[in-house]
């Protein structure tokens, strides 16, 4: 099925053309998905170790597509980044998370602190601050409840710019956490100047915790670092009680993971607001 030139160089195969068609179509569908509100947020609780209470949620986007089914971010975020749609998705996600916070508040749950993930493009988008400010104003979001998760590698890509933006976000009353900490190259000179509220220990260290003393040492070091910088340390990807016990001993402040609660719809997660998630 390969089409070849006289010199025998493979220009294109039907398979390649098919793959491109599929991709182009998926990109077009994703573009429509934003307008059609097919993107939905699931929310995963973040739990305080001392009280066992839900302290905040992480909003995680899913694509409920009539064509492709219910897709996790791994199936479309890459495409969104490459096609430039990620900025529009994150705008949507911030709006949807704020709208949901307002709804919970109106239902009498109080302000449920919610963290949203941030793509690289948003970080350098000059309209981003205005967008956030407008979304907060639109839904009456008070300071101290909307949080942004910025990956360590994103923050360290251009730490001077990150520092400026982070301070501006703080002024808007937005909380910050440094996500996937320990997987990138951190400049501690910058880290100490970041006005972040939490360091999120990357899941890969939690994964190795029970078997691997090196991972325990890393988690212990990250927790000490966080505390010395006046940040809370949160561990994600906690899947078992044994991991939780070890993380507690390592002085981690908050945990998030399947062991307490999976990411779930707004309707499902709100049932967890008034019950302790750790026993
Ligand atoms: P992340 O920010 O590191 O999010 C944590 C991921 O770990 C989520 O995967 C979550 O469902 C999963 N997780 C939570 N607890 C556990 C556990 O106990 N065990 C395991 N194995 N996994 C757990 P998810 O929802 O598939 O999201 C994947 C990534 O997609 C996120 O990683 C984030 O980088 C990105 N993402 C998600 N939502 C958004 C969004 O709205 N905007 C942008 N730009 N990126 C997003
Ligand atoms: Ca995250
Ligand atoms: Ca993470
Ligand atoms: Ca403690």
């Amino acid at each position: 099925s390969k089409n070849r030139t006289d010199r025998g160089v493979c220009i294109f195969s039907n398979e390649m053309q098919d793959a491109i068609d599929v991709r182009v179509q998926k990109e077009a569908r994703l573009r429509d998905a934003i307008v059609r509100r097919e993107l939905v947020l699931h929310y995963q609780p973040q739990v305080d170790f001392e009280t066992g209470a839900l302290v905040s949620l992480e909003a995680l986007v899913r694509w409920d597509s009539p064509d492709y089914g219910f897709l996790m971010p791994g199936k479309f975020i890459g495409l969104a980044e490459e096609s430039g749609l990620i900025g529009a998705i994150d705008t949507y996600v911030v709006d949807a998370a704020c709208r949901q916070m307002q709804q919970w508040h109106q239902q009498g749950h109080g302000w449920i602190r919610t963290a949203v993930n941030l793509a690289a493009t948003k970080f350098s988008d000059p309209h981003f601050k205005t967008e956030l400010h407008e979304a907060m104003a639109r839904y009456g979001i008070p300071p101290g409840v909307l949080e942004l998760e910025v990956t360590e590698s994103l923050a360290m890509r251009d730490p001077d710019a990150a520092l400026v933006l982070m301070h501006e976000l703080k002024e808007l009353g937005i909380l910050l956490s440094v996500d996937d900490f320990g997987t990138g190259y951190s400049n501690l000179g910058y880290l100490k100047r970041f006005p972040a509220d939490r360091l999120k220990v990357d899941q890969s260290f939690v994964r190795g915790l029970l078997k691997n003393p090196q991972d325990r040492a890393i988690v212990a070091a990250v927790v000490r670092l966080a505390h010395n910088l006046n940040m809370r340390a949160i561990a994600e990807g906690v899947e078992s009680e044994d991991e939780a016990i070890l993380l507690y001993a390592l002085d981690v402040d908050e945990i998030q993971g399947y062991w307490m609660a999976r990411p779930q719809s707004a309707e499902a997660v709100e049932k967890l607001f008034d019950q302790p998630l750790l026993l």
Side-chain angles (χ1 to χ4, degrees):
S1 68
K2 286 193 168 64
N3 307 319
R4 287 172 187 275
T5 66
D6 292 338
R7 284 170 298 167
V9 177
C10 172
I11 306 176
F12 240 55
S13 67
N14 293 333
E15 289 81 6
M16 283 165 74
Q17 186 57 53
D18 290 348
I20 290 166
D21 290 346
V22 165
R23 202 191 138 85
V24 165
Q25 188 176 68
K26 195 172 179 186
E27 185 182 319
R29 295 269 152 81
L30 184 55
R31 203 176 293 276
D32 293 341
I34 303 170
V35 183
R36 294 186 186 152
R37 308 197 70 85
E38 290 167 12
L39 300 178
V40 294
L41 294 187
H42 274 192
Y43 297 88
Q44 187 177 31
Q46 300 174 324
V47 180
D48 185 302
F49 246 140
E50 298 299 333
T51 65
L54 182 154
V55 278
S56 44
L57 301 172
E58 179 173 5
L60 295 155
V61 70
R62 279 90 180 86
W63 179 9
D64 192 5
S65 163
D67 305 291
Y68 306 108
F70 194 81
L71 299 188
M72 302 298 274
K75 298 276 188 223
F76 66 92
I77 289 283
L79 175 65
E81 283 171 347
E82 288 155 25
S83 61
L85 288 171
I86 190 70
I89 290 179
D90 281 350
T91 301
Y92 177 97
V93 168
V94 167
D95 182 90
C98 290
R99 177 198 303 252
Q100 185 61 62
M101 280 192 277
Q102 181 197 47
Q103 191 178 324
W104 281 324
H105 182 258
Q106 288 170 344
Q107 291 167 357
H109 293 293
W111 289 105
I112 308 288
R113 174 172 160 195
T114 301
V116 168
N117 289 283
L118 199 56
T121 49
K122 273 298 173 211
F123 222 54
S124 44
D125 176 354
H127 301 296
F128 184 45
K129 272 169 292 173
T130 315
E131 232 175 77
L132 284 165
H133 184 69
E134 285 174 0
M136 289 171 73
R138 196 175 309 135
Y139 300 107
I141 306 297
V145 296
L146 175 62
E147 178 165 335
L148 295 179
E149 295 196 357
V150 181
T151 63
E152 175 188 34
S153 43
L154 174 55
M156 292 300 167
R157 196 178 295 175
D158 183 351
D160 280 310
L163 194 56
V164 172
L165 180 61
M166 283 179 168
H167 278 287
E168 289 169 340
L169 297 178
K170 288 308 288 184
E171 275 167 34
L172 292 178
I174 291 170
L175 304 169
L176 295 166
S177 51
V178 182
D179 202 0
D180 301 346
F181 192 79
T183 56
Y185 293 96
S186 240
N187 179 330
L188 298 182
Y190 277 102
L191 185 69
K192 76 168 184 208
R193 291 159 64 199
F194 285 163
D197 304 275
R198 310 201 261 200
L199 274 193
K200 291 192 84 172
V201 180
D202 190 66
Q203 314 204 0
S204 56
F205 303 114
V206 175
R207 197 92 317 119
L209 209 55
L210 296 172
K211 288 193 213 115
N212 192 333
Q214 285 91 337
D215 284 340
R216 281 202 289 279
I218 290 170
V219 174
V222 171
V223 172
R224 273 200 303 279
L225 180 63
H227 291 166
N228 287 333
L229 298 175
N230 277 319
M231 299 177 192
R232 307 261 293 165
I234 173 165
E236 63 180 341
V238 180
E239 293 183 353
S240 71
E241 182 173 15
D242 289 344
E243 286 167 354
I245 289 169
L246 207 43
L247 290 165
Y248 186 77
L250 293 170
D251 211 17
V252 165
D253 303 296
E254 297 164 8
I255 49 173
Q256 171 182 358
Y258 295 167
W259 182 56
M260 285 81 58
R262 291 191 167 250
Q264 49 202 293
S265 69
E267 301 74 52
V269 84
E270 68 193 30
K271 301 200 167 64
L272 305 176
F273 289 169
D274 304 315
Q275 71 184 58
L277 291 173
L278 286 178
L279 296 172

